[in-house]
Amino acid sequence: MSWGKLLQPDLILGDSILNLTSEILQQHNIRGLVLDVDETLVPISMSETSPELQQWIQSLSPSIQVWLVSNNISQMRISRIAKSLNLPYILGARKPSRRKLRQAVDSMGLPFEQVAMVGDRLFTDVLAGNRLGMFTILVEPMVNPAKIQKRYLLRDIEVWFSQILGVSLIPWQQIQQNITDLDRS
Ligand SMILES: [Mg+2]
């Protein structure tokens, strides 16, 4: 498989993970979620989960199984976040390595294509998920409301480089709009 294909998310949310709805998951026949933690669920500058995030997790269960799989090696940070969301977790995953991701999916007892890997980064989250044949969802980083939004330099470089490799990063909302426009014309 080419690099472009391996880095291509199946869905580009164009928004934070809080906008990933049960309807979208149903549409794609997703029954399990593997979630990245840093910047996907919680800004790196924060250690607490927001009430909105807790509500979002609750809105998914019990029909959707959820695991946290983080590259972060801080047991204190990741276990605390996982506990506040009442979710199982794996840390030090070394994504794009497949090993820990496979472990999480195996625990769900679901086929890879029915589990979505959701993250903010192309070269770790999306690449790892695609290597396993999971459904991959790219989200916008979670922003700390108390801070002026900083640039995500590494992420921006990944986006730029992926587009050179042929990855298309048009948000799905825009694609839906284009389809609606086409139907009307
Ligand atoms: Mg991340």
Side-chain angles (χ1 to χ4, degrees), residues 80-178:
R80 182 177 178 165
I81 290 170
K83 265 190 203 125
S84 78
L85 299 171
N86 201 18
L87 293 174
Y89 68 94
I90 294 172
L91 62 146
R94 296 171 181 263
K95 292 167 284 183
S97 162
R98 289 173 284 197
R99 203 159 67 91
K100 299 291 172 79
L101 226 58
R102 186 184 282 129
Q103 195 181 316
V105 177
D106 282 349
S107 311
M108 295 182 187
L110 293 171
F112 288 107
E113 65 271 17
Q114 288 183 16
V115 181
M117 174 67 225
V118 188
D120 65 309
R121 296 280 299 277
L122 289 160
F123 280 73
T124 52
D125 306 315
V126 172
L127 182 54
N130 281 344
R131 289 182 71 207
L132 279 173
M134 296 168 77
F135 190 84
T136 48
I137 302 176
L138 182 72
V139 297
E140 288 296 309
M142 196 65 88
V143 176
N144 182 346
K147 285 199 168 189
I148 300 165
Q149 190 176 356
K150 65 172 172 98
R151 297 296 295 162
Y152 298 91
L153 185 61
L154 207 54
R155 187 182 194 271
D156 290 346
I157 291 168
E158 286 183 1
V159 164
W160 168 78
F161 191 60
S162 300
Q163 284 172 322
I164 289 175
L165 293 171
V167 175
S168 157
L169 295 172
I170 304 166
W172 76 277
Q173 293 93 333
Q174 199 177 323
I175 296 170
Q176 306 275 94
Q177 187 58 48
N178 291 350

Side-chain angles (χ1 to χ4, degrees), residues 36-40 120-121 125:
D36 170 56
V37 177
D38 292 333
E39 312 284 19
T40 295
D120 65 309
R121 296 280 299 277
D125 306 315

